[in-house]
């Protein structure tokens, strides 16, 4: 283990945000030494995912929730997953734009990450970054996913508690069920609830949930908020506490962590196999096969099988 890396991790744990930023860059790049180090350290952070359709006000709600959590004395890290720039691969929306209200708060750390074309809405580097943030002892980690018009089911696999943010008038609860929101939501938030239709939206959500009861014993509450004024955000923070307590009491928290660990193992195996295959495939052979695929004389799957079988 690099003593330099261990010192950087200790500095980050002690509040050195520059050291933490550098470590996160290494985590995003998949540094194997850092992976091993942070895995052994563990942590007890409550990881909260916020997802939902575009325009729901997730960023404003995240900022308001940070404010409430800080008032309660919790240290907070925010991972804001942004669309990737088609030119640089970096995040289009910067963390300073989203979270400038917390710039001077040493108890808050914000990081924007680009999806880099990752279809689920979460950057492939997010799980490792969450491990790092947990290892440096943040109390709460908020993961705000990119709104891309699809339900980002991966957030439910990454977070302890998943908050689905909707607006009155977004669509009826049947559409929410079709989109898969009922399956991933631990808490529903009706943001911008000062608009007409809030009571109807709440009723519709509760009605559909009653028709499709969960099998695990937790019924997602529906909380109305106005993130721009902070209305309802204290209630949301309370619901987050209630869900975490339920996870602990029912043993669900450990089950979710085990599931995440299994997912990370699968991802690690896939990444290693892909990297080794790329190293061993002859570039000239790959170019020839690629030309066959481009010309329509071979399909990608059969061509790929041939390339992989050829590396032994």
């Amino acid at each position: 283990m690099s003593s330099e890396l261990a010192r950087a991790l200790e500095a980050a744990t002690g509040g050195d945000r520059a050291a933490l930023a550098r470590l996160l860059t290494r985590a995003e790049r998949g540094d194997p030494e850092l992976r091993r180090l942070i895995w052994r350290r563990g942590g007890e952070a409550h990881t909260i995912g916020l997802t939902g359709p575009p325009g729901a006000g997730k960023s404003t709600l995240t900022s308001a929730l940070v404010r409430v959590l800080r008032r309660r004395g919790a240290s907070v890290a925010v991972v804001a997953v942004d669309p990737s720039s088609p030119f640089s691969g970096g995040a289009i929306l910067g963390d300073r734009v989203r979270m400038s209200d917390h710039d001077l708060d040493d108890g808050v750390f914000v990081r924007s990450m680009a999806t880099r074309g990752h279809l689920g809405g979460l950057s492939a580097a997010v799980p490792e970054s969450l491990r790092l943030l947990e290892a440096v002892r943040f109390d709460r980690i908020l993961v705000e996913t990119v709104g891309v018009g699809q339900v980002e089911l991966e957030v439910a696999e990454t977070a302890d508690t998943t908050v689905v943010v909707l607006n009155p008038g977004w669509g009826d609860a049947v559409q929410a069920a079709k989109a898969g929101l009922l399956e991933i939501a631990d808490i529903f938030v009706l943001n911008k609830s000062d608009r007409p239709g809030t009571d109807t939206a709440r009723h519709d959500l509760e009605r559909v949930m009653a028709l499709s009861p969960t099998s695990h014993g937790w019924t997602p509450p529906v909380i109305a908020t106005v993130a721009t004024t902070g209305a309802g955000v204290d209630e949301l923070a309370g619901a987050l506490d209630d869900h975490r307590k339920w996870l602990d009491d029912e043993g669900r928290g450990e089950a979710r962590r085990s599931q995440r660990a299994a997912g990370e193992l699968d991802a690690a195996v896939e990444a290693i196999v892909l990297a080794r295959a790329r190293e061993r495939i002859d570039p000239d052979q790959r170019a020839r096969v690629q030309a066959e695929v481009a010309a329509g004389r071979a399909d990608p799957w059969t061509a790929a099988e041939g390339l992989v079988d050829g590396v032994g």
Side-chain angles (χ1 to χ4, degrees), residues 21-306:
R22 291 192 296 271
L23 289 172
L24 278 167
T25 298
R26 293 182 68 160
E28 287 185 70
R29 293 173 179 169
D31 185 303
E33 188 177 7
L34 180 60
R35 286 171 176 164
R36 298 183 184 99
L37 181 58
I38 61 178
W39 187 271
R40 288 193 292 270
R41 285 175 65 98
E44 298 181 355
H46 184 194
T47 303
I48 301 159
L50 294 99
T51 189
K58 296 186 293 292
S59 294
T60 306
L61 181 65
T62 299
S63 183
L65 181 58
V66 169
R67 194 172 296 111
V68 170
L69 294 174
R70 289 295 295 138
R71 195 167 65 236
R72 294 179 172 201
S75 58
V76 184
V78 179
V79 176
V81 185
D82 289 326
S84 301
S85 163
F87 302 104
S88 68
I92 294 176
L93 302 176
D95 50 38
R96 296 303 104 193
V97 176
R98 295 170 181 255
M99 297 288 167
S100 57
D101 289 349
H102 307 290
D103 277 349
L104 301 180
D105 188 343
D106 291 337
V108 178
F109 181 85
V110 184
R111 179 78 164 200
S112 286
M113 290 187 181
T115 59
R116 299 184 179 89
H118 194 57
L119 294 180
L122 286 180
S123 167
V126 167
E128 292 182 21
S129 299
L130 297 184
R131 288 278 183 188
L132 172 60
L133 293 168
E134 190 172 24
V136 300
R137 306 297 186 251
F138 278 98
D139 299 317
R140 302 287 186 272
I141 303 172
L142 308 184
V143 184
E144 180 203 333
T145 67
V146 55
V148 291
Q150 67 183 42
V151 178
E152 296 131 337
L153 299 178
E154 290 180 58
V155 69
E157 300 174 357
T158 304
D160 299 313
T161 302
T162 300
V163 179
V164 173
V165 186
L166 304 173
N167 298 144
W170 172 76
D172 63 27
V174 174
Q175 291 303 113
K178 289 179 180 178
L181 294 175
L182 294 184
E183 285 80 0
I184 69 168
D186 297 307
I187 298 170
F188 282 105
V189 169
L190 288 174
N191 193 32
K192 306 180 183 179
S193 63
D194 50 347
R195 295 179 175 179
T198 298
D199 291 340
T200 300
R202 179 195 294 271
H203 174 75
D204 287 346
L205 275 173
E206 291 174 344
R207 176 173 55 84
V208 171
M209 283 190 289
L211 294 173
S212 305
T214 59
S215 60
H216 51 61
W218 171 266
T219 300
V222 182
I223 298 170
T225 66
V226 183
T228 53
T229 66
V233 182
D234 278 290
E235 184 183 354
L236 170 58
L240 291 169
D241 290 341
D242 290 342
H243 186 252
R244 187 181 193 185
K245 183 177 185 303
W246 179 83
L247 288 173
D248 291 341
D249 291 347
E250 298 294 322
R252 300 279 180 172
E254 184 59 37
R256 290 194 179 194
R257 284 188 287 272
S258 296
Q259 185 177 3
R260 284 202 300 273
E264 290 179 58
L265 175 60
D266 289 343
V269 170
E270 291 173 6
I272 291 171
V273 169
L274 178 59
R276 290 182 179 175
R278 284 175 171 168
E279 290 173 357
R280 296 177 184 179
I281 291 174
D282 179 73
D284 293 335
Q285 182 186 6
R286 177 187 172 91
R288 288 193 297 271
V289 172
Q290 185 173 329
E292 292 290 308
V293 172
R297 292 188 292 271
D299 68 88
W301 293 103
T302 302
E305 286 179 355

